[in-house]
Amino acid sequence: MTWSQMQPLLEQACGETLIMVGWSTLISVALGLPIGVLLVLTDKGGLLQNSPVNKVIGQIVNVGRSMPFIILMVALMSFTRWITGTTIGSEAAIVPLAIGGIPFFARLVETAVREVDHGLVEAVQAMGGNTWTIVRRVLVPEALPSLIASTTTTIVALIGYSAMAGTVGGGGLGDLAVRYGYQRFETGLMWITVAVLAVVISLIQFAGDYAARSLHHRGGRQGSGPRLRLLKAKEPATTTATADAGKAG
């Protein structure tokens, strides 16, 4: 097979992989982030401590993470057909990819949020901050570098899952490698597909690591002081006005 024959196949496969991984990443982050934060909040000693809820959510996440992706795809075929109307193609592959990515990302979020200094949480509580304020102003911002790294890890994992989805007609680079590299013995195209996947994963990993390092140097624990001072500055305005009125009297 010549390069002119390979090029349109590679372009189409790359586009399908981008669509599958892009949408499944968005869904995984949008749903996995609150689940991961909730696992921390409902755990023992958490702000919303609730052991039964924590155990139920934890078990669901554990089952989702422990199931091999190939089996998950087969198990979700009826659900995928109900959502998309088909079980073949890149659109259908988004459903199992997202469902497989949500618990994976949720556990990474849980680990990242647990690393936040509990003293910052206590400081905001002392200023009268509620749970939503603590999550929005402390937990997520302080864990942001780790969350970026977790997102990068999730994207890389989803690229691997998408390649597996190609074995059952999911489209993308995995489907290209199976159909042409394995079934038609086009070894050259298969190795080019492997090289493309390696380059894409390396670029994503580099970009994610760079973003995480940049956020860590700019913010991290060094940036917590200004945020807490900002929160504190909103509180004493009434107290200061009362003290000035007392002096005037």
Side-chain angles (χ1 to χ4, degrees):
M1 182 178 286
T2 63
W3 172 249
S4 60
Q5 293 173 313
M6 293 181 188
Q7 187 176 358
L9 295 173
L10 287 168
E11 289 176 354
Q12 181 182 354
C14 286
E16 290 173 348
T17 297
L18 182 63
I19 291 170
M20 287 190 292
V21 174
W23 278 107
S24 58
T25 299
L26 288 175
I27 297 170
S28 298
V29 171
L31 298 180
L33 179 61
I35 292 173
V37 173
L38 192 61
L39 282 169
V40 177
L41 295 178
T42 57
D43 200 5
K44 186 176 180 180
L47 298 173
L48 302 175
Q49 180 175 334
N50 190 321
S51 295
V53 171
N54 184 269
K55 287 179 180 178
V56 169
I57 297 174
Q59 284 301 319
I60 294 172
V61 170
N62 287 339
V63 170
R65 281 194 63 194
S66 62
M67 189 173 295
F69 183 70
I70 290 289
I71 297 175
L72 181 65
M73 262 197 315
V74 174
L76 291 173
M77 277 187 173
S78 298
F79 180 69
T80 301
R81 186 182 291 109
W82 179 67
I83 294 290
T84 64
T86 181
T87 58
I88 299 174
S90 55
E91 290 183 1
I94 292 172
V95 177
L97 281 171
I99 293 176
I102 290 168
F104 183 86
F105 185 69
R107 279 300 184 196
L108 295 177
V109 170
E110 181 189 10
T111 302
V113 172
R114 285 190 190 280
E115 293 175 355
V116 175
D117 186 0
H118 192 66
L120 299 177
V121 176
E122 293 175 347
V124 177
Q125 281 181 311
M127 296 174 201
N130 57 21
T131 302
W132 171 243
T133 301
I134 292 170
V135 171
R136 187 166 54 93
R137 293 292 185 92
V138 179
L139 295 181
V140 173
E142 288 295 314
L144 194 54
S146 297
L147 292 177
I148 295 294
S150 299
T151 303
T152 304
T153 303
T154 302
I155 293 173
V156 172
L158 287 173
I159 291 174
Y161 290 168
S162 72
M164 282 189 276
T167 62
V168 291
L173 291 167
D175 179 58
L176 183 66
V178 170
R179 281 193 296 119
Y180 286 88
Y182 178 71
Q183 295 176 354
R184 302 187 187 183
F185 303 102
E186 293 288 348
T187 309
L189 180 57
M190 184 182 67
W191 283 112
I192 290 174
T193 304
V194 171
V196 170
L197 283 170
V199 170
V200 169
I201 289 173
S202 297
L203 290 174
I204 291 171
Q205 191 68 56
F206 174 80
D209 291 345
Y210 178 79
R213 283 196 303 268
S214 298
L215 286 171
H216 183 73
H217 291 322
R218 277 192 227 167
R221 288 178 171 79
Q222 295 178 353
S224 58
R227 276 197 290 275
L228 291 178
R229 284 197 294 271
L230 182 61
L231 283 169
K232 195 172 182 180
K234 295 179 180 178
E235 204 177 310
T238 307
T239 307
T240 304
T242 306
D244 290 343
K247 288 179 183 178

